[in-house]
Amino acid sequence: MIEAENICVQCGLCCDGTLFARANIKNNETINPAYNFSINQNKKKSFRLPCAYLKNRSCAIYNNRPYSICERFICPLLKKYNNNEVSAKKALKIIATVEKYRNEILQALGDKSIIENDSIFTLVNNFKQNYHEQIKTASFREENKKLLLSIVGFEKIVTDNFKPPKTAKTNHNNTDEVILK
């Protein structure tokens, strides 16, 4: 039987920039300068993903993670696995499908909008913003059919399996985080 931790180790999508562009830090947490995180302290304290400490799908600082988000985040797919709503085999297949779409998107984008160390989330949003008008044309859609299908597939599988349900509520006790149900 595959344990929940093994699913995380074989995944890493929450830290590699596939699912999120940033990870929020609680307002009451101190920024630790000993770590090389790209910290944003504007509206919400957060650090940029992909995480600089993710190496081969594993956290290089796992035993000394400086922020609580790194310790307590459990994605909805892992929750489904823990609740016996999805098998380990199915969870790993979902992860592999996300990776397939991500790789297709990165390959198709080529030099159109890739900026080193941007999350796939950011790259897809930038592509959609930059080509918003062109996407409406049949010629652009035909020329970029594989990319557009990969983006749609990617967004669907990520929304269905990794994003919090729409019924999530905001926690107002000075943390600015979404509570996952």
Side-chain angles (χ1 to χ4, degrees), residues 35 53 58-67 70-71:
Y35 294 95
Y53 295 99
S58 293
C59 180
I61 57 171
Y62 186 82
N63 292 327
N64 297 305
R65 293 168 287 179
Y67 305 113
C70 301
E71 293 180 20

Side-chain angles (χ1 to χ4, degrees), residues 69-89:
I69 188 69
C70 301
E71 293 180 20
R72 74 177 188 291
F73 178 76
I74 300 173
C75 76
L77 179 62
L78 186 59
K79 286 184 178 190
K80 289 178 186 176
Y81 170 77
N82 289 338
N83 292 332
N84 296 314
E85 297 170 28
V86 66
S87 69
K89 183 177 178 179

